[in-house]
Amino acid sequence: MKSYSLSALNQMTQGEFITTLGAIFEDSPWVAAQAWLKRPFQNIQSLYQTMVDAVKNSDSEQQLALICAHPDLGIKAKMAEASVKEQTGVGLDRLTPSEYEQFHRLNKNYKAKFGFPFIIAVKNHTKASILAAFERRSNHSIEAEKITALEEIYKIAQFRLYELVHL
């Protein structure tokens, strides 16, 4: 994966910036488009916070669309390159048939209850800790779980951004 300096990002055209950072928030290039308007960034943290603020200040429909853009965990379907890499890193691409069935059932039940996919920043997790989070979070209210999903998306975005941008 190519890495970019903050200086290079600050000098990009809007199109280049969106192409480069549009996948930081899963299939939601509008976040990068809004962040571009706030250039120049003094550091990576300010770029990250600007992107998070764009999501926080968006309407509920945009936030829900962002949540729904994320793939189910452990599925065998087309997903963004970053998601494939993240799920592979925790072994979700190598599930046994029974694990696959368990993830499929949990994803299905979660979506039926909340109306959007279960989201967790899989980096620094294991299959066991992800399964425990499924169980724990299934008791949340829809509003509480939407907040949790967005917080997890912010973590995912931070991991992706810090991997893509160097000082």
Side-chain angles (χ1 to χ4, degrees):
M1 174 188 287
K2 188 172 179 179
S3 180
Y4 298 87
S5 70
L6 190 62
S7 175
L9 290 173
N10 280 330
Q11 294 173 25
M12 288 181 175
T13 66
Q14 186 176 27
E16 292 167 335
F17 191 88
I18 293 168
T19 298
T20 303
L21 298 179
I24 298 296
F25 283 82
E26 194 92 11
D27 287 333
S28 300
W30 62 268
V31 178
Q34 288 187 20
W36 182 84
L37 300 171
K38 307 284 185 177
R39 294 169 311 119
F41 300 102
Q42 300 304 308
N43 52 49
I44 299 170
Q45 183 60 32
S46 67
L47 169 57
Y48 166 72
Q49 192 59 54
T50 298
M51 295 180 90
V52 167
D53 289 345
V55 174
K56 286 183 176 181
N57 294 325
S58 66
D59 62 39
S60 186
E61 286 180 20
Q62 274 186 302
Q63 291 175 352
L64 185 58
L66 171 61
I67 293 169
C68 289
H70 285 76
D72 288 343
L73 294 177
I75 62 163
K76 297 173 184 171
K78 188 174 189 275
M79 63 181 85
E81 181 181 331
S83 290
V84 171
K85 184 177 176 185
E86 291 155 2
Q87 289 198 30
T88 298
V90 75
L92 296 183
D93 63 325
R94 299 178 304 278
L95 297 175
T96 66
S98 65
E99 288 172 331
Y100 177 78
E101 179 54 40
Q102 183 178 22
F103 271 90
H104 179 72
R105 180 180 41 77
L106 289 168
N107 282 318
K108 183 179 170 187
N109 293 342
Y110 182 92
K111 269 188 176 173
K113 178 174 182 178
F114 296 107
F116 50 81
F118 177 81
I119 300 173
I120 191 166
V122 297
K123 197 171 190 162
N124 302 327
H125 276 279
T126 63
K127 285 186 258 185
S129 67
I130 293 168
L131 291 170
F134 254 119
E135 297 294 331
R136 183 178 63 256
R137 289 171 49 189
S138 68
N139 296 317
H140 284 178
S141 68
I142 290 174
E143 191 53 39
E145 192 54 21
K146 181 181 175 192
I147 292 166
T148 301
L150 288 170
E151 291 297 327
E152 291 296 318
I153 288 170
Y154 302 148
K155 290 177 194 174
I156 293 165
Q158 187 172 39
F159 290 139
R160 290 176 180 179
L161 187 63
Y162 278 69
E163 188 174 302
L164 185 67
V165 180
H166 64 272
L167 299 174

